[in-house]
């Protein structure tokens, strides 16, 4: 990555923290962003704090999408940023009104010591609560000063009153004037008391509305006027992606229910291992306009629990993403109440007017895909259905549904494909040929014969950028045919291929499962680089230099091609 001259100069400026008092007072607002980025890149937390505390613009966005090979801010810099936001609340030089940290979190323990989603959520909630405590201390100090001023004013008024009453030489006009003055002073005192009462009543009313929103009973009925009243004391709106589990639940609830100079807003919510009632409470506390997506993982929702949550999700008008991973949606028609719960689930999905992304992982709902997807009012753009045990009827419906022609991403990993589903898969890929950009068929049991039947249809997907076929039982000959097809697809940038069967140690079954391919050791005698060299030779002969071939499943990332 080539740095611009401004970036190089900014990196040099922030490298010496001792010189910051000299240049901070003269820096124009246009250079704050390059200086902050240089501080993040060079890991200069002190410079980050000083810049953020004086931030000259209304909005500060830190979690912007990074380029390939570019690392995000490390933990120390993020902590310095959050502390500086609190300090900036009392700094007249700071003009910040919106702090956008969406997309900032990295993987816990990743390269460069990034701050993961859970740690960032806890740090944000701590910042919001600390800012509220600081505001309360400031109000108490101001109230004490105001009381002291009022006492001095009252003493002065009593003293002047005594002097007026004891002055027998004063004229009648002066007495009348003094009486008018006292009336004005008295009226001012009464007005001041009335204003104080109004202020107390207003704070009590705002607190009452916040309690209603916390219980989730009236969250969807709060109108715009009431929300403006609640937000009137907010100095900075903090937008972020939140990660909530049993350990962070209390802190998140405290931060969302607190009223202070910082208000926490959630763009994407990820919850893990918490109950349906806790998720209901959490949704009731979130601002309605900001939530774009929710990701529920490892929570025993059940079909009935999800049907209970969907009416709450429909109150978020911008919600466009719903992801459910290992949520124990085990549908069994022989159990009482399952059919009714499935109807409630279908009815709830009809209310998600803006849903464009749906991800269902290992939910065990075979034969029910039509019930789920036909209820959605808008066609999906991203559909992820790994480990779903899709039946031939499910794939047949999907290939003819209103979603097929609009799909941009499709993940059917770990769903078994064979000759019985071949017609449906080919029809589905033909319908999505002009829109599909990312396709994953990893672990689907695709053999050389089935791949040969699929290759013409795959080659017709003219918008495809990435294709994942890991953990399929293919031979070297099948892989060569795959690469020869791939080089004729001008839009394709990444191809994840499986290790060929010839690379494994003897004893592997003739048609191994994906789990067997994952666990079976590779043959140490066979040089794995031979397969890579053979495939790259096909790539070189075609003249393609923009197509990346890999068999590294763990480090594969389709988003790198966007």
């Amino acid at each position: 990555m080539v740095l611009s001259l401004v970036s190089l100069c900014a990196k040099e400026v922030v490298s010496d923290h001792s010189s910051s008092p000299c240049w901070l007072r003269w820096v124009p607002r246009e250079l704050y962003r390059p200086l902050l980025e240089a501080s993040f890149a060079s890991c200069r937390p002190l410079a980050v704090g000083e810049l953020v505390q004086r931030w000259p613009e209304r909005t500060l966005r830190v979690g912007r999408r990074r380029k390939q090979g570019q690392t995000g801010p490390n933990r120390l810099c993020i902590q310095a940023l959050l502390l500086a936001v609190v300090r900036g609340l009392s700094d007249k030089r700071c003009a910040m009104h919106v702090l956008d940290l969406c997309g900032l979190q990295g993987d816990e323990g990743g390269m460069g010591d990034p701050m993961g989603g859970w740690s960032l959520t806890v740090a944000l909630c701590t910042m919001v609560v600390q800012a509220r405590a600081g505001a309360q201390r400031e109000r108490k100090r101001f109230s004490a000063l105001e009381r002291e001023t009022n006492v001095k004013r009252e003493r002065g008024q009593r003293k002047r009153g005594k002097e007026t009453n004891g002055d027998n030489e004063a004229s009648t006009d002066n007495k009348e004037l003094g009486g008018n003055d006292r009336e004005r002073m008295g009226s001012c005192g009464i007005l001041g008391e009335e204003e104080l009462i109004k202020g107390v009543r207003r704070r009590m009313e705002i607190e009452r509305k916040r309690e209603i929103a916390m219980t989730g009973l009236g969250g969807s009925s709060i109108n715009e006027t009431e929300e403006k009243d609640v937000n009137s004391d907010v100095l900075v709106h903090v937008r972020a992606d939140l990660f909530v589990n049993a350990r962070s639940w209390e802190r998140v609830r405290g931060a969302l229910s607190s009223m202070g100079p910082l208000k926490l807003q959630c763009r994407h919510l990820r919850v893990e291992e918490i109950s349906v009632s806790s998720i209901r409470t959490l949704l009731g506390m979130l601002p309605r306009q900001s939530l774009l997506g929710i990701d529920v993982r490892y929570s025993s929702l059940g079909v009935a629990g999800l049907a209970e949550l969907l009416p709450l999700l429909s109150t978020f008008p911008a919600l466009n993403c719903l992801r459910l991973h290992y949520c124990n949606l085990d549908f069994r028609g022989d159990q009482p109440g399952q059919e009714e719960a499935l109807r409630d689930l279908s009815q709830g999905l009809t209310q998600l007017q803006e849903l464009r992304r749906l991800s269902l992982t290992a939910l065990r709902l075979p034969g029910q895909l039509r019930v789920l997807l036909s209820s959605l009012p808008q066609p999906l753009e991203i559909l992820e259905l790994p480990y779903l045990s899709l039946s031939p009827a499910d794939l047949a419906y999907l290939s003819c549904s209103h979603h097929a022609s609009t799909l941009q991403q499709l993940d059917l990993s770990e769903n078994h494909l064979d000759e019985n589903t071949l017609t449906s898969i080919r029809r589905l890929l033909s319908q999505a040929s002009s829109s599909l950009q990312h396709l994953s068929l990893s672990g689907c049991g695709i053999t050389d014969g089935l791949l040969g039947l699929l290759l013409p249809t795959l080659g017709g997907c003219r918008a495809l950028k990435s294709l994942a076929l890991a953990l399929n039982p293919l031979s070297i000959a099948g892989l060569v045919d795959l690469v020869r097809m791939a080089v004729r697809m001008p839009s394709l940038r990444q191809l994840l291929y499986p290790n060929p069967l010839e690379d494994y140690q003897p004893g592997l079954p003739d048609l191994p499962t994906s789990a067997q391919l994952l666990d079976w050791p590779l043959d140490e005698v066979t040089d794995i680089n031979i397969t890579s060299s053979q495939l790259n030779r096909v790539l070189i002969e075609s003249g393609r230099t923009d197509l990346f071939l890999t068999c590294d499943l763990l480090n594969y990332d389709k988003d790198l091609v966007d």
Side-chain angles (χ1 to χ4, degrees), residues 143-210:
S143 298
L145 292 174
E146 191 175 18
R147 284 195 299 270
E148 183 179 352
T149 303
N150 291 337
V151 169
K152 291 180 179 179
R153 185 184 296 114
E154 290 174 1
R155 289 176 180 173
Q157 290 173 357
R158 286 196 298 268
K159 183 177 180 180
R160 286 194 297 271
K162 290 180 181 179
E163 292 176 354
T164 303
N165 292 332
D167 189 2
N168 296 325
E169 300 295 328
S171 63
T172 303
D173 294 339
N174 290 337
K175 288 181 180 179
E176 292 176 355
L177 182 60
N180 293 334
D181 288 341
R182 284 192 298 272
E183 288 178 3
R184 283 195 296 270
M185 292 176 185
S187 63
C188 290
I190 294 172
L191 288 174
E193 185 177 356
E194 289 178 351
E195 291 295 329
L196 180 62
I197 293 174
K198 288 181 180 179
V200 173
R201 287 176 178 172
R202 178 176 173 275
R203 286 193 295 270
M204 292 176 63
E205 181 67 18
I206 294 175
E207 191 68 29
R208 183 185 66 82
K209 294 171 183 175
R210 171 59 64 181

Side-chain angles (χ1 to χ4, degrees), residues 383-386 409-413 415 438-442:
L383 181 60
E384 298 171 336
L385 304 173
Q409 294 186 28
L410 177 62
D411 186 354
L412 298 178
S413 299
N415 289 286
H438 304 282
L439 174 63
S440 179
L441 298 176
S442 297

Side-chain angles (χ1 to χ4, degrees), residues 312-437:
L312 281 177
L313 295 179
S314 65
T315 63
F316 295 91
L319 186 74
N320 59 30
C321 176
L322 175 60
R323 308 183 72 184
L324 304 173
H325 298 267
Y326 300 95
C327 292
N328 196 26
L329 264 69
D330 192 357
F331 176 76
R332 296 178 182 177
D334 56 344
Q335 293 183 353
Q338 288 287 293
E339 292 288 348
E340 182 180 356
L342 196 61
R343 285 195 299 269
D344 293 340
L345 179 61
S346 176
Q347 182 63 30
L349 288 171
T350 62
Q351 303 175 26
L352 303 182
Q353 298 292 328
E354 298 300 323
L355 193 67
R356 295 295 185 274
R357 175 171 184 167
L358 181 63
S359 180
L360 308 174
T361 302
L363 300 188
R364 297 193 296 274
L365 292 171
Q368 304 300 325
L369 195 63
R370 177 187 295 271
V371 177
L372 297 176
L373 299 188
S374 63
S375 306
L376 298 175
Q378 300 293 335
L380 294 172
E381 297 176 355
I382 300 176
L383 181 60
E384 298 171 336
L385 304 173
Y387 296 93
L388 216 62
S389 302
L390 296 175
S391 66
D394 290 328
L395 293 172
Y397 161 73
L398 183 59
S399 66
C400 301
S401 69
H402 65 295
H403 306 288
S405 60
T406 61
L407 289 176
Q408 298 178 12
Q409 294 186 28
L410 177 62
D411 186 354
L412 298 178
S413 299
E414 299 297 335
N415 289 286
H416 185 69
L417 303 180
D418 53 23
E419 288 77 7
N420 296 325
T421 59
L422 178 62
T423 302
S424 299
I425 290 296
R426 293 174 67 174
R427 184 189 303 119
L428 175 59
L429 295 178
S430 297
Q431 291 290 325
S433 60
S434 61
S435 61
L436 190 61
Q437 300 178 20

Side-chain angles (χ1 to χ4, degrees), residues 5-24 27 31 34-36 38-39 42 44 47 50-51:
L5 180 60
V6 174
S7 300
L8 290 172
C9 293
K11 184 177 180 180
E12 183 66 25
V13 168
V14 300
S15 61
D16 183 10
H17 183 260
S18 62
S19 64
S20 60
C22 301
W23 55 263
L24 267 174
V27 172
L31 293 181
L35 288 169
L36 182 61
S39 301
S42 304
R44 302 291 179 182
E50 291 181 333
L51 290 167

Side-chain angles (χ1 to χ4, degrees), residues 490-558:
S491 61
L492 193 65
R493 294 294 179 269
Q494 276 193 344
L495 174 61
L496 175 64
Y497 62 88
N499 292 104
L501 296 176
E502 292 86 347
D503 287 355
Y504 288 91
Q505 290 185 3
L508 193 66
D510 293 337
L511 291 177
T513 64
S514 61
Q516 290 172 329
L517 291 172
L518 183 62
D519 296 334
W520 205 270
L522 296 175
D523 194 348
E524 297 179 356
V525 178
T526 305
D527 188 0
I528 301 178
N529 293 327
I530 295 178
T531 301
S532 177
S533 300
Q534 193 170 351
L535 299 180
N536 281 318
R537 190 179 305 116
V538 177
L539 198 64
I540 294 172
E541 291 174 354
S542 67
R544 288 288 299 271
T545 59
D546 56 352
L547 176 57
F548 177 65
L549 306 180
T550 180
C551 61
D552 188 355
L553 178 60
L554 297 179
N555 295 317
Y556 174 74
D557 186 3
K558 63 176 177 55

